[in-house]
Amino acid sequence: YFPLFLKLVAWNGVMLEKPFLTLLPGLMAPGSFLPLFPALVDLPTLVLALEKSEWISGSLPGNSADFIQKSQTPENLLQLMDEAYTGSTIEDRGGDSGDENIGSRGDADALFLDLLKDENDGLAERHWTSQGMAATLQAAMGSAQSERLKQAFQVAPRLVEAYFRIALRDVNNSLICALIPLIMARNDALFLDLKFASEIQKRLLEFMLSAFQQSPHFISLLKKPIMDRIGEVYDSRAKTELAMQLCWAIGEHGGGGISHKDVARELFEGLELLLYENLSSSRLALNNNMVGNYGGAILKKSGQARFLCFVVTAIAKLATYHRELIPRARVCLAK
């Protein structure tokens, strides 16, 4: 039932926050735990979709052309909730809304309709990776944020924090382990409000590190997605922060623990490769910019240096857990 409750929370904001928090533990069943995460993170986008639906006339999901009209009454919301739950009159769009870049008004409408139809899975990843996603949300939001959207920016981080708190207390390890790759994927795929994104990212990273603290063996189970995300370190500021925190976790927990020697060696080799690649590229970049944009080269190199501090620390800590790696760690430190 949580998609229906989230529509009510999105529409009524802070007024329904406490009642929803009271219900939240009961909504985190094995079948709903994972879908609930992106739905909470996408609460501001759900607000935009609901507000957009108020103003749209013409054919939309439903039996009548005037199914969604501008209205100040709750009937519109109740209709949306009913259709999201039953799915009986929602037309099948065949997945066309995500095939092309999302930038036009029509594509924005398609995106919102997908969310209103069934937001159990949040926004599909293809939407968030689209080059036009930022323009679409900005156009839908307009020059000024609505009161509902402002409240969603406040409420969503608190709901996500409560969700994580309950997860660490009540949810089994297999589901938490499955959640971590979703967290890593959404860390850089959030609604484009700087304060909101910062609040959500802070909670995502804190939960991820807490999960690794509670169950260090997750690092060995998630070796590939962890190294994939570390490899994206320079794609964006959010990915840089994620990569550094993952490096810290690898070192802090010995790559999954003393009993995971093979995985620890593979993680060590990945970090070792990153170290040498970054040392080589930073020296080359600095030499190429001795004439010209020297300040820009220094700035870039300082960012690399910060990341490499985390890499070298992880390498050294892995070697303290797994003594057979000490000779290679000494070479890395010498470099």
Side-chain angles (χ1 to χ4, degrees):
Y1 292 98
F2 76 80
L4 311 184
F5 291 133
L6 280 176
K7 283 186 171 66
L8 286 171
V9 173
W11 200 249
N12 293 278
V14 176
M15 184 174 68
L16 290 186
E17 179 182 356
K18 288 185 178 179
F20 183 78
L21 287 173
T22 302
L23 293 173
L24 188 57
L27 299 177
M28 293 175 64
S32 60
F33 173 69
L34 294 177
L36 184 55
F37 164 67
L40 292 174
V41 169
D42 287 334
L43 188 67
T45 311
L46 178 58
V47 169
L48 278 187
L50 289 168
E51 290 184 336
K52 177 76 173 176
S53 73
E54 272 199 308
W55 295 88
I56 292 176
S57 60
S59 179
L60 279 175
N63 290 325
S64 62
D66 59 352
F67 154 63
I68 298 176
Q69 297 287 348
K70 185 178 183 302
S71 171
Q72 300 301 321
T73 64
E75 282 79 5
N76 173 39
L77 178 62
L78 295 174
Q79 286 179 293
L80 285 170
M81 291 170 60
D82 180 64
E83 296 214 358
Y85 177 63
T86 63
S88 58
T89 60
I90 294 176
E91 105 185 40
D92 183 7
R93 303 183 62 86
D96 293 340
S97 62
D99 291 343
E100 303 293 339
N101 287 340
I102 304 170
S104 68
R105 180 181 298 272
D107 286 336
D109 292 345
L111 183 152
F112 290 148
L113 290 176
D114 280 349
L115 187 60
L116 290 172
K117 180 170 62 177
D118 182 1
E119 77 279 15
N120 281 24
D121 297 323
L123 288 178
E125 187 174 354
R126 64 179 182 271
H127 292 319
W128 285 111
T129 56
S130 166
Q131 295 179 357
M133 185 62 177
T136 299
L137 290 180
Q138 185 61 47
M141 185 169 59
S143 58
Q145 298 176 358
S146 69
E147 184 59 32
R148 284 194 186 97
L149 187 58
K150 290 177 182 178
Q151 291 194 29
F153 288 148
Q154 298 171 16
V155 170
R158 295 195 288 262
L159 296 183
V160 170
E161 184 174 4
Y163 170 87
F164 286 151
R165 185 172 60 251
I166 296 167
L168 289 172
R169 186 189 68 207
D170 297 338
V171 176
N172 66 59
N173 278 351
S174 61
L175 286 174
I176 292 179
C177 188
L179 177 64
I180 292 175
L182 300 180
I183 289 174
M184 293 191 287
R186 291 308 303 267
N187 184 64
D188 192 44
L190 299 168
F191 196 100
L192 299 173
D193 178 86
L194 291 179
K195 184 177 180 182
F196 168 76
S198 176
E199 291 287 328
I200 293 293
Q201 286 163 354
K202 175 185 175 183
R203 287 161 173 81
L204 298 186
L205 294 178
E206 286 176 349
F207 171 78
M208 184 183 70
L209 295 178
S210 296
F212 288 145
Q213 177 72 35
Q214 185 170 290
S215 304
H217 67 283
F218 285 172
I219 295 173
S220 63
L221 296 173
L222 299 172
K223 175 195 65 177
K224 187 180 187 307
I226 286 174
M227 291 308 300
D228 287 345
R229 296 300 173 181
I230 292 177
E232 299 171 351
V233 60
Y234 299 121
D235 288 2
S236 69
R237 184 170 297 182
K239 290 184 177 181
T240 298
E241 189 62 33
L242 173 63
M244 290 189 294
Q245 297 302 324
L246 288 171
C247 287
W248 183 89
I250 288 172
E252 184 70 11
H253 304 296
I258 197 69
S259 62
H260 297 279
K261 289 188 178 297
D262 290 340
V263 173
R265 187 189 70 254
E266 292 174 13
L267 290 169
F268 183 97
E269 290 170 351
L271 295 173
E272 189 180 43
L273 180 60
L274 274 173
L275 174 66
Y276 293 146
E277 286 179 346
N278 277 269
L279 286 175
S280 175
S281 64
S282 63
R283 289 168 182 163
L284 179 62
L286 189 59
N287 290 335
N288 289 342
N289 284 277
M290 289 302 290
V291 178
N293 187 19
Y294 182 75
I298 292 294
L299 183 63
K300 180 178 179 181
K301 189 173 182 182
S302 69
Q304 284 186 314
R306 182 167 177 254
F307 171 61
L308 290 182
C309 285
F310 280 81
V311 173
V312 170
T313 301
I315 285 173
K317 287 185 173 182
L318 279 173
T320 65
Y321 272 89
H322 307 279
R323 309 290 289 180
E324 67 276 9
L325 298 174
I326 285 179
R328 293 171 67 175
R330 284 175 175 159
V331 175
C332 291
L333 291 170
K335 292 289 184 181

